[in-house]
Each structure stands twice: as structure tokens, then as C-alpha cells.
Amino acid sequence: MKKNRRIYASLVFLFLAITGFTSYAQTRVTGKVTDEANQPLPGVVVTQMNTQNKTSTDGNGVYVLTLQAGSAQSLTFNYVGYGSVTRNATGGNVDVSLIPTTQSLNDVVVVGYTTQKRANLTGAVGILDMADAEKRRVPDVAQVLQGQVAGVTVTQSTGAPGDPINIRIRGEGTFGSGNSPLFVVDGVPTVDISHINTNDIKSLNVLKDASSAAIYGSRAANGVVIITTKQGVVNSTAIDINYFNGIQQATNLPTMLNTTQYLNKIEEAWGNSGYSGTNPYIAEKARTDLANTDWLDELFVTGHSQVAQVSASGGSEKVQYFLSGAYYKQNGIVVYDNDQYQRINFRPNITANLTDRLKVGANLQISNEMQDALSSRGDAPGIIRHAFLRPPVISVFKSPGDPTYTAANPFTDLPFYKGPGNDWDQNFEKSQNPIALAYFSNDKRNLFKTFGNAFAAYSFLKDKELTFRSSFGVNLLFRHNKAFLTNFGDNDGGGSALDVGLGRINRPNGLNEERGQELETTWTNTLNYTKTFGSHSLTALVGSEFIKNRADAISASRRRFDYTDPNFQYIDFGGLPDLYNGGSAAEYGLFSLFSSVDYNYAGKYFLTANIRADRSSRFGENNQWGYFPSVAAAWRISGEDFLQDNRVISNLKLRATYGSLGNQGIPNYAYLNVINKVGNQFQIVRYGNPDIKWETTTQLNIGLDVGLLKNSLNLSVDYFIKNTSDILLPIGLPGFIGNVSPSYLNTAKVENKGLEVSLGYTNNDNAFKYGVNANFSTLTNVVKKLHPNYPNITSAYSRTEVGHSLNQFYGFNMIGVFQTQAEIDSYLTGSSAKPGDIKFEDINGDKTITDADKTYIGNNIPKFSYGINLNGSYKGFDLSVLFQGVEGIDKFNQLKQIIDFDTRPFNYTTAALGSWSGPGTSNTIPRVSFDDNGSSKFSNLYVEDASYIRLKNVELGYSFSGLQKLGVKNVRLYVSGQNLWTSTNYSGLDPETVDQVDYGTYPQSRAILFGVNVKF
């Protein structure tokens, strides 16, 4: 019996010993975390499940964590932009590979003056995947948004290097107060982000609805784009070097007539014009000194671009830093390289934790932009426009044996010029030589900019739930524009007596110079409270903001410079009788108070409320204050018990928002009278409006977010109605008041409504990983109200009136070409039309074509837009493809009107070869003629469908692994292509440009780039 008791006691002791060791022993786990390309990920948070026991990976992706006894023996790995992973950890080594996801619900999103998890958003927020954006290889940050976010339309003003980018969020909502969104970079508001280096950006979010944007009040009516730049990572030093180099070429150029075709066609035009006598072009065709110049081929050359970027980041628990520098240079596609653009960027971002409660930091961007500008929109002198107009019979250069030839000006000008006056062949149109225009172009534009902020944040209370943050932002820029107008061309005998013998272009020579500076300061103070009470989570914010802006500019110009060497291209060397100068200054201020509350219960029910009160100096005392409230609610249905175990539905959330936003983008001092002194009397030249007030945009948004199959398939749908009221219009006063300029009145209303759909699928289950992201948005724009005295706003080619969209094309409707005189006589009464002339619709049926027969013939606002982003990777290879397009948009191709249908002997496109030449030959292209064939009337003949789909970007890369022993984390080689393919019915150079009228726009170019990215 005693023996049995001893055995029993021994077994109990052994059991207790084993369980005791198990209870008190601690397990040490180590491992490495890598990305999908097997590259180490620094800064990954590794947490023991159901505890606060955590660590983070170092610069090599390595972690070490000692597990707490008595808790779950599992680890969770979290990293922003990557899907979370959980692994069992019973000891030893646990290596993990994380997969990036653009739809991670745990991602932190910057909205307003706070942050939220993506899963908790109540408003319509577009989130850009910066990993995809960095592969665009474009100089302007705005370009990376193109085709990426539903409801956001991005177009380039032209394809010229350095020209601005146009962004519209949910359509055009106003007339003259500006439709561009507000940009907020590291908490500092601005109207321009062209100076920001794309590689410096950590996140970019678009606030589209009233709830998400209302916190920005009077500047948020057109949406808000929030940009956060990169910061250093604790215990992770990283150096990133990126370089790429490539070429650009013009594509989709129309085919112009050669010399033989051109002479035949203008001979035909002369014969169709009813002239008597011998056709002069018969003799011209017999000349032996005719050239056969392809002016487009002479003008467009291969452009070149190169970019070098380097960044360094890292830090300790106390101080984190991010430093970067970049150089961008692009030579355009126009001959002689007078369309260059260069930009230098430097950024130091530093954050210091002075105590466990006090944090200070600074984010700074210094940039210097240099642009050689030329006439990129068909504006004077119209370099590209003249390449279309110039007859092919004229050569580019004069012969050195020509008595009018000079080495300084070897270019042809007037057709077959012999000497001063009218001694040139006037059978050909005297267009300007585009190659000479490009050669003598000398328009230098420099912009130096300092942008950034310094901030301090202090946390109060036991658990640091209350944080006060103060930020002072600066946006300082210095502008210097200098254009020297060199005199050149042939002497046609014109000009003043002082300019006898000079060429006809830039007669006399001159210099225009402008300098300006602008300083905008922003002082923002916020108090933010965040607390979780069981299942209740609350975030409350109050704040104030004061913005002050002042801009100064001076300008001067002189003419008749005796010396044109660059060393003498200064104002002092110009002629004294031709001195002009000017100067101006303007300033405004904006003071704001704002507050927001975010509440959620159990991660299922969400409520957000915002209000902002703005006081702007741009308005009179009667209406300086504007108030902009909003409210939003959301229900995560997938959080309910009845969907908890659903294997298909991972996330299902219904959202609804409503609120109002403002627009203060009007001229300064519009509320004041403008007075001029004439002699000894003062006269009012414009009456101010002391009751002028804010334009207000109210917006309703209903949204649905769906995540399926563990969020591998994500769908987001938003429907919005956006009404902008009290739109400011310049209204002319009755004549009996006097000759005064229009005054601003709040009078109009515009509605935009549409549907936005975003769809994404990611599959990372196999060696071949791929993803598809697509977005689609519709837009309907309708004018709801105008001023009673102005039932419509009409230009030479557009009209705005109630019931139609803004600036809709308005003109005559071409229905064919008159084939015979009998057809003309039966259709019109007393008409001078001839067979081969354009046949217009007689809308009122009075058998005459007058302005009463004009109608709406096109719309310059797209009906829908879309983007498709494809990406995939296999082992070291990765591929990214972006398609982007718009549908239902029209453009006035004015260049088409002047080259194919003008009454002057310009060149034609080959489309003119199919013009009417007798009954039954054509019902779409009228006869060529030097008299009016109806083409002088603005009609749908020139309004073309500018819808397109474009392969915006393709990038193929390969990453080399196994270089850690050399101190290199990753080396990636890549080749990138831009604008590789376009499908469109538009016959102009580029359907994508923003202008409603195309006078001969600098086209976007096709680019091939080769690059390397090295990370240490």
C-alpha cells in the first residue's frame, strides 16, 4: 500500500512539475517578414494574439518576440498596405510573406484633420494605391490620379512639358469661380500640387462627398485631395535610388497633302469659286522650284526625358527622418528644344518625440521649376497650328544663294519672296514658317517654391486620449517670366517709319518681363479626443484655422533693342520711347472654426457630423460668414450575427451622407466699387455688390461597400446628387446707369448627379499573383437657374441655358451636301448656295438659314469615364497595365475648320481628297472653294466625338533577390510605356486635352522609358 502511495505521489509531483514548467516557461520566437517579391519588410508590427505583447521588424525584416505564458501562442503580422497574416508560434522560427492589398480594411485613411480606418469610413473617399501610382513615371502628381478613382476626371491642358493638369471631381459645378479641387498636403491647403514629387507621397485620398469634405468648408465645393508625404520608420534605415531615361514621339498625326495633291486641290478650289480667266495654278504646277515639305515631320522630333530620385529614411524612437531629392528634365517633341521643362525637388521631413507626450516636426518641400514655354494651345504665334496651314510647296530654308538669305535668319517666310513689299507669290497663303517660330521662341518661365509646415502636438490625460496640435504652414513662391521677341521673317513693307526694312514677324523686337511673389500662411490649431468605452468608440475634434494670402507682381516691357545677344536682353537696353511697366498687389484672408464627431458602436453602426464656419475677406460685411454642416451614417451589415459565419460575404456596409460645401474662388474686392479718375472727376467703372455671398454646394450621397471571399473581391457603389446654388455671375447693368463693367450677383444654380462604381479583385494564392481594379462613373450636368435678365449665356460656339449642360455647343446642324441646283431651289428660297455647299437643317421651316435655325450640336462634358488597372507578378517579374477613357464628350475641332474648309489656300488633310466634285460624289464633305461654301458657319461639321480609350501606361519589371549579403535589399529593372495606343474617332491631334476648342494643341506623346530602382 505504501509503495502504491509513493508511486501515486511521484506521479502527482511529476505532473505538477511538468505543468509548472509549462505555465512559467517563456517561448522565444524569431523570424523574417518579406513581401511578395521576397524582399524584407521593415516596420511590420508583430503581435501576440489577445495581448499587448508586440514588436516590429527591423531594417532587414527580422523580428524577435518572447511570448507571454498563459496566452494564445499565435502571432499576427500587420503592415499598412498589406493583408494581415496569423501564424501559430509554438517556438523556434516563424517566417512570413505578406501580400499587398489595395482594399485592406485596416488601412489608416487621412480624412479632414483626423484619420480613420478604411473599414470605418462613412463618406465617399477615393483611395489611391501609391504602389500603382509610382509606376506611372509622370512629372505631375495630378496625372497619377487619371483613371484610378471613380468620379475623378483628369486631363492635360496640352502635351507640352510643364503645362498644367486639370482635375474635376464629380463634374463642373460653377461658371467663373473655379472648378478645381482643394489640395491639402501634410495638413497645409493649397491650389497647386505640381511641385510635389510623386515618390515622396505615402498616401493620396480624394474626398468626394459633402460629409468627408465639409470640414474644409468654403474651399471644398469641388472636392478635396489629401496628400500625406512619407516619414521615417523607427529602427529602419533605408536608402532608395531610382533613375529612368526615355524618349517621346508624336503619334496619331493626320496625313497632310503633298505638293502634287495640294496643287491639284487648290486648282480645283479656284475653279469652284466662279472666277473668270485662266486658272493661275495651272502655271504654278509647271514651276520647277517647288518643294515637297512635310511640315509635321519637320516640326516634330524625338523628345527625351530623364529622372533621378534618391531618398533616405530612418530613425529611432526619439527622432524619425525622411530626406529626398529629385531632378526631372524633359525635352519636348518640337524641334530646337525650346519646349523644355526642368524641376529640382528637395524634401526634409523630420519628427521628434521630445517626451512620450510631446511631438514636434516639420515637413518641407523646396522646388525650382524652369519651363521653356511655347504656344501649345494654338494661341499666337501658333507653332503647331502653322505646321498644318503652311503649304507644302514652300521649303523650310532659303537657298544660301537667295539674295534675301541671311545666316541669322535662314528660314523661308512669305511664299517665294523676292524683295520688299508685295514681291512674293500671292497665290499661296502667307502663313508663318513653324520651324522658324520654334527656332526663335524664347519664353523662359521660372518658379521657385517653398512649401511646408512645422507642428507640435501634445497629448493629455492618462491614456493620451486628448491631443492638441498646432501647425503653421507656409506656401511661398517667386515667379520670373521673361520672353524676348526676336524680329525675323521677310520685309513686306509694313510697320512704322521706325521699322523700315525689318521682317514682318515681331516687328519691332521686344522684351516682356514679369516678376511676382506670393505668400500664403496657414495657422491651424486642433484639439482631438479619442476614446473607446467598451463597444462604444468616439472621436471628437474642434479647431480653428487662419489663412492669409498676399500676391505682388511687377512687369515691364520695351521694344527696339539694338543688340539681341542674350547678354543684352534686359529692360535697360531697350528703346526709351517704348517703355511700358505695371504693378499690382492683392490679398485676402480666411478665418475658420470647425468641429467634427465620429461615433461607432461595436464596429457596426457609425455616425459622423461636421460643421465649419468660414469668414472670408472676399465678401462684403453683410455675408462674410458661411456655415457648412454635414452628417453621415453607415451600417456594417456584415457585423450582424446573421452574417458572422458567412463564407462569401466578408464585408457589407451601407452608407448615406448629406451636407453643404462652399466656394470662395471669386476675384478679390468684387463687393467694392471700382473708381477711376478722369481729369478732375471720379467715375464709377464697376458697382460692387455688398450682398455678394458664398456659392453653396449641397450634396446627397448613398453608398454601398461589398467585400466577398475574404475581401479578395471588393465592390463600392456611390450615387450622388450635387446641387450648386447662388452661383456668381457677372451681370451687366442697364445702359441708363452708365458705361460700367458687369457686377457680380449670386443668381445661378447647377446640378450634377451620377453613379460611381469601383471593382477590385486580388488573387495571391499561387506563385502567379494578379489583381484587377476597375472604376466607372457617369455624370449628368444640368443648369437649373440663371438670372432673369440673362436667359442664356452665348458665345460664338456655345450656349448655356436652363435645362441644358454648361457651355453646350450651339450652332447649325449639317444634314448633307447640296447635290444639284434643283435640290437647293426646292429646299431654300432666295439662297446664293451652290451645288456642293453644305446643307443645313432648316429647323423653323421658313426655307432660309438664319440664327433661328441654330440648335444644340454637342456636349463638352463626358457622360461617363472609366479606368482599368491590371497587375500581376510571378517570382521576380511584375507587370502593371492601365487603360483609361471617357465617352460621350465632344470637341470643337477649329483646326479642322481652317485647314479643310477655309477659303484661303492653306494646306489640307487627305480627307479633302474626298470632297464633293459633282452630284453623288460626297454628302459629307463640301466642295473646296475660295468662296464661302457654308463652312464659315459654326456647325456640327467641326464638332467631333472626342471619346477615347487609351493605354496610358504599361510597366514590366524584374526584381533581383539574394543581394542582402551585398547590403542591397532589392534591385529592380523596368521598362515603362506611356500612351502606347489610343482608339478614338477624333481627327485632331489629341482627344484628351482640356480645352473646349482645339486650335492646334500640342499633343501628348508616346513614351518608352527604361529605369532602375535600387534599395539599400
Side-chain angles (χ1 to χ4, degrees):
M1 178 65 70
K2 291 183 180 179
K3 182 178 179 180
N4 291 338
R5 288 178 179 176
R6 287 197 302 270
I7 294 172
Y8 176 77
S10 299
L11 291 173
V12 171
F13 176 80
L14 180 61
F15 173 78
L16 292 175
I18 293 173
T19 57
F21 283 125
T22 304
S23 299
Y24 292 100
Q26 291 182 316
T27 303
R28 184 174 182 270
V29 181
T30 185
K32 184 175 183 179
V33 182
T34 57
D35 62 12
E36 75 282 9
N38 200 34
Q39 301 303 312
L41 282 176
V44 177
V45 178
V46 184
T47 307
Q48 183 180 1
M49 285 189 65
N50 303 321
T51 73
Q52 295 298 314
N53 183 27
K54 66 179 65 177
T55 188
S56 60
T57 58
D58 62 18
N60 295 315
V62 176
Y63 71 93
V64 177
L65 183 66
T66 301
L67 302 183
Q68 295 179 357
S71 299
Q73 304 295 291
S74 300
L75 299 179
T76 299
F77 299 81
N78 289 295
Y79 191 61
V80 174
Y82 289 74
S84 298
V85 171
T86 301
R87 292 285 187 271
N88 292 328
T90 56
N93 189 78
V94 179
D95 293 336
V96 171
S97 177
L98 298 186
I99 304 301
T101 169
T102 60
Q103 300 291 337
S104 173
L105 298 179
N106 290 317
D107 285 354
V108 175
V109 179
V110 180
V111 287
Y113 297 86
T114 61
T115 60
Q116 292 183 11
K117 284 187 177 181
R118 179 197 290 264
N120 297 343
L121 292 175
T122 56
V125 179
I127 302 172
L128 183 66
D129 181 0
M130 290 309 302
D132 287 338
E134 289 182 357
K135 295 178 181 179
R136 289 295 310 278
R137 315 299 171 192
V138 289
D140 196 308
V141 174
Q143 292 173 270
V144 304
L145 275 169
Q146 193 170 38
Q148 302 279 11
V149 179
V152 179
T153 303
V154 180
T155 51
Q156 295 187 223
S157 57
T158 79
D163 273 8
I165 308 298
N166 180 280
I167 300 179
R168 294 292 181 266
I169 299 175
R170 293 186 167 180
E172 305 267 347
T174 187
F175 293 86
S177 303
N179 285 286
S180 295
L182 173 70
F183 303 99
V184 180
V185 182
D186 292 328
V188 182
T190 180
V191 296
D192 177 44
I193 55 172
S194 62
H195 61 287
I196 304 293
N197 180 18
T198 303
N199 273 24
D200 290 348
I201 297 177
K202 176 184 178 182
S203 67
L204 191 155
N205 304 321
V206 182
L207 312 185
K208 298 185 287 185
D209 69 323
S211 172
S212 58
I215 196 69
Y216 291 103
S218 66
R219 309 177 77 184
N222 302 311
V224 181
V225 177
I226 297 183
I227 294 174
T228 302
T229 59
K230 295 176 181 177
Q231 304 291 327
V233 177
V234 175
N235 297 327
S236 175
T237 300
I239 298 176
D240 191 306
I241 300 174
N242 190 36
Y243 176 81
F244 62 87
N245 195 315
I247 59 173
Q248 295 89 34
Q249 293 179 328
T251 61
N252 301 320
L253 297 178
T255 304
M256 307 301 293
L257 299 187
N258 60 31
T259 290
T260 300
Q261 294 168 325
Y262 168 74
L263 290 173
N264 289 336
K265 189 53 63 174
I266 59 175
E267 179 186 9
E268 179 184 338
W270 193 94
N272 287 338
S273 303
Y275 299 142
S276 59
T278 303
N279 191 320
Y281 294 102
I282 297 175
E284 296 286 2
K285 292 168 69 173
R287 296 180 64 148
T288 59
D289 59 346
L290 300 178
N292 187 23
T293 304
D294 184 338
W295 288 101
L296 294 180
D297 187 62
E298 296 288 344
L299 180 67
F300 291 119
V301 296
T302 298
H304 177 255
S305 63
Q306 60 176 330
V307 174
Q309 300 169 326
V310 61
S311 66
S313 63
S316 63
E317 294 286 347
K318 288 292 185 180
V319 179
Q320 300 89 49
Y321 64 89
F322 175 82
L323 305 174
S324 75
Y327 173 73
Y328 180 91
K329 182 179 181 182
Q330 181 180 359
N331 293 351
I333 55 175
V334 171
V335 66
Y336 292 124
D337 283 342
N338 283 323
D339 56 346
Q340 297 186 53
Y341 175 75
Q342 299 180 70
R343 188 181 70 224
I344 300 172
N345 290 82
F346 175 66
R347 171 176 291 279
N349 287 354
I350 299 175
T351 302
N353 301 302
L354 301 184
T355 71
D356 65 338
R357 293 181 178 269
L358 178 61
K359 176 187 292 187
V360 297
N363 306 290
L364 184 63
Q365 169 81 62
I366 300 173
S367 64
N368 188 37
E369 300 176 55
M370 297 155 282
Q371 182 189 23
D372 287 314
L374 48 73
S375 54
S376 57
R377 305 173 92 147
D379 49 320
I383 293 174
I384 295 173
R385 183 178 177 85
H386 280 285
F388 284 90
L389 303 180
R390 190 93 167 149
V393 297
I394 308 171
S395 61
V396 176
F397 300 98
K398 294 180 179 179
S399 169
D402 189 324
T404 65
Y405 172 90
T406 65
N409 180 18
F411 303 97
T412 61
D413 180 26
L414 293 170
F416 305 103
Y417 179 74
K418 300 301 181 183
N422 290 323
D423 194 3
W424 55 279
D425 192 338
Q426 299 184 37
N427 288 320
F428 302 107
E429 183 56 36
K430 58 174 182 178
S431 61
Q432 297 179 27
N433 186 331
I435 312 305
L437 292 173
Y439 178 80
F440 289 109
S441 179
N442 186 0
D443 188 350
K444 310 290 185 183
R445 303 184 183 184
N446 287 72
L447 180 65
F448 180 84
K449 192 168 190 175
T450 299
F451 180 93
N453 71 321
F455 67 89
Y458 189 84
S459 298
F460 300 87
L461 305 182
K462 179 181 178 181
D463 295 322
K464 305 177 185 178
E465 303 99 328
L466 184 65
T467 301
F468 173 75
R469 188 179 192 274
S470 184
S471 168
F472 186 79
V474 172
N475 186 1
L476 174 64
L477 62 88
F478 298 93
R479 180 182 296 107
H480 180 205
N481 300 335
K482 183 176 181 180
F484 190 82
L485 308 175
T486 301
N487 172 248
F488 65 97
D490 293 327
N491 174 20
D492 61 357
S496 72
L498 296 175
D499 304 318
V500 173
L502 296 181
R504 67 186 180 108
I505 303 172
N506 296 333
R507 181 174 49 203
N509 64 26
L511 174 66
N512 301 324
E513 189 165 3
E514 175 193 1
R515 292 181 183 268
Q517 72 175 48
E518 183 175 354
L519 173 63
E520 182 171 288
T521 56
T522 303
W523 185 27
T524 306
N525 298 282
T526 59
L527 191 62
N528 191 23
Y529 178 76
T530 302
K531 185 69 174 179
T532 299
F533 309 89
S535 298
H536 304 270
S537 296
L538 177 69
T539 298
L541 174 84
V542 294
S544 67
E545 192 166 74
F546 178 63
I547 298 174
K548 184 177 181 181
N549 178 286
R550 179 182 174 90
D552 297 82
I554 58 172
S555 60
S557 66
R558 285 196 188 184
R559 298 289 178 265
R560 299 185 176 87
F561 283 70
D562 292 329
Y563 306 100
T564 60
D565 183 274
N567 292 321
F568 293 92
Q569 292 178 9
Y570 294 93
I571 292 293
D572 276 356
F573 294 103
L576 288 176
D578 308 298
L579 174 63
Y580 303 93
N581 56 62
S584 64
E587 59 183 352
Y588 71 86
L590 179 68
F591 176 72
S592 308
L593 299 171
F594 52 87
S595 178
S596 70
V597 176
D598 290 291
Y599 167 79
N600 88 72
Y601 174 72
K604 295 188 291 185
Y605 311 109
F606 304 87
L607 183 66
T608 300
N610 300 293
I611 187 169
R612 180 162 178 141
D614 286 318
R615 185 181 184 184
S616 173
S617 65
R618 287 179 167 171
F619 301 94
E621 288 292 336
N622 297 344
N623 288 298
Q624 280 196 334
W625 282 98
Y627 302 92
F628 309 100
S630 73
V631 63
W635 174 29
R636 178 175 291 112
I637 307 170
S638 57
E640 301 293 350
D641 292 341
F642 58 83
L643 283 178
Q644 281 295 313
D645 298 324
N646 193 291
R647 296 184 178 182
V648 177
I649 300 176
S650 311
N651 179 51
L652 180 62
K653 184 170 67 174
L654 182 65
R655 300 176 279 106
T657 72
Y658 183 81
S660 62
L661 308 165
N663 190 346
Q664 66 144 13
I666 65 170
N668 294 323
Y669 320 119
Y671 64 93
L672 295 175
N673 292 342
V674 177
I675 300 174
N676 280 353
K677 184 178 180 182
V678 180
N680 294 322
Q681 295 183 339
F682 291 92
Q683 294 181 351
I684 295 179
V685 296
R686 189 199 70 194
Y687 284 93
N689 178 7
D691 295 320
I692 194 173
K693 61 181 179 180
W694 305 84
E695 294 184 356
T696 301
T697 297
T698 58
Q699 191 170 172
L700 171 68
N701 191 98
I702 305 295
L704 179 68
D705 299 325
V706 182
L708 305 175
L709 305 175
K710 297 182 180 180
N711 289 315
S712 61
L713 178 63
N714 287 274
L715 172 70
S716 182
V717 181
D718 284 274
Y719 177 76
F720 69 91
I721 301 176
K722 176 181 174 183
N723 284 291
T724 304
S725 57
D726 294 324
I727 294 176
L728 291 162
L729 289 177
I731 303 298
L733 300 180
F736 65 83
I737 294 179
N739 185 20
V740 294
S741 299
S743 299
Y744 283 92
L745 298 178
N746 297 94
T747 182
K749 181 179 180 180
V750 173
E751 178 186 80
N752 287 279
K753 60 184 179 181
L755 180 71
E756 300 168 353
V757 180
S758 298
L759 181 66
Y761 177 74
T762 303
N763 188 327
N764 296 314
D765 297 337
N766 302 295
F768 173 63
K769 301 172 176 60
Y770 64 93
V772 180
N773 292 289
N775 63 83
F776 173 88
S777 57
T778 69
L779 181 66
T780 302
N781 175 275
V782 179
V783 177
K784 293 292 186 177
K785 179 186 176 184
L786 291 174
H787 192 274
N789 293 348
Y790 286 84
N792 61 71
I793 302 172
T794 303
S795 73
Y797 52 82
S798 68
R799 172 176 282 197
T800 297
E801 67 178 336
V802 174
H804 294 271
S805 63
L806 289 169
N807 299 315
Q808 210 167 335
F809 291 116
Y810 189 78
F812 295 98
N813 183 33
M814 175 186 174
I815 58 175
V817 174
F818 287 119
Q819 301 297 317
T820 63
Q821 187 63 46
E823 181 184 1
I824 298 171
D825 295 340
S826 65
Y827 188 73
L828 300 175
T829 300
S831 173
S832 60
K834 301 176 183 178
D837 284 359
I838 299 174
K839 184 178 181 179
F840 297 109
E841 183 180 5
D842 181 15
I843 291 178
N844 63 3
D846 64 356
K847 291 201 170 187
T848 58
I849 302 301
T850 65
D851 284 352
D853 296 306
K854 288 184 178 180
T855 187
Y856 288 98
I857 55 176
N859 192 343
N860 74 318
I861 297 176
K863 293 180 180 178
F864 61 88
S865 58
Y866 55 91
I868 304 171
N869 202 328
L870 312 173
N871 59 79
S873 65
Y874 179 74
K875 296 185 178 179
F877 290 96
D878 63 89
L879 176 68
S880 176
V881 180
L882 173 64
F883 290 91
Q884 177 267 331
V886 297
E887 288 291 332
I889 184 172
D890 301 301
K891 190 184 292 293
F892 173 21
N893 190 350
Q894 197 277 337
L895 185 62
K896 173 183 177 180
Q897 180 182 22
I898 196 170
I899 57 178
D900 280 348
F901 303 102
D902 199 79
T903 58
R904 290 166 289 180
F906 296 127
N907 199 6
Y908 301 83
T909 67
T910 53
L913 297 176
S915 62
W916 186 92
S917 58
T921 55
S922 176
N923 199 39
T924 56
I925 304 177
R927 63 187 174 93
V928 292
S929 175
F930 294 153
D931 64 341
D932 189 6
N933 57 9
S935 60
S936 62
K937 288 181 169 64
F938 173 64
S939 72
N940 59 329
L941 178 59
Y942 318 121
V943 176
E944 298 186 348
D945 179 9
S947 304
Y948 69 90
I949 179 172
R950 175 168 277 171
L951 180 54
K952 291 296 296 184
N953 191 78
V954 176
E955 182 164 299
L956 176 65
Y958 182 80
S959 298
F960 294 87
S961 59
L963 303 176
Q964 286 79 10
K965 293 182 179 180
L966 302 177
V968 180
K969 295 179 181 178
N970 184 37
V971 174
R972 179 175 180 266
L973 301 179
Y974 58 88
V975 56
S976 182
Q978 299 172 359
N979 302 321
L980 298 181
W981 170 81
T982 301
S983 176
T984 182
N985 292 325
Y986 185 65
S987 67
L989 285 172
D990 192 352
E992 187 180 330
T993 53
V994 68
D995 289 343
Q996 190 177 12
V997 183
D998 183 357
Y999 293 100
T1001 304
Y1002 193 117
Q1004 293 191 59
S1005 54
R1006 176 186 296 161
I1008 301 294
L1009 309 169
F1010 298 89
V1012 58
N1013 182 216
V1014 182
K1015 296 182 179 181
F1016 298 92

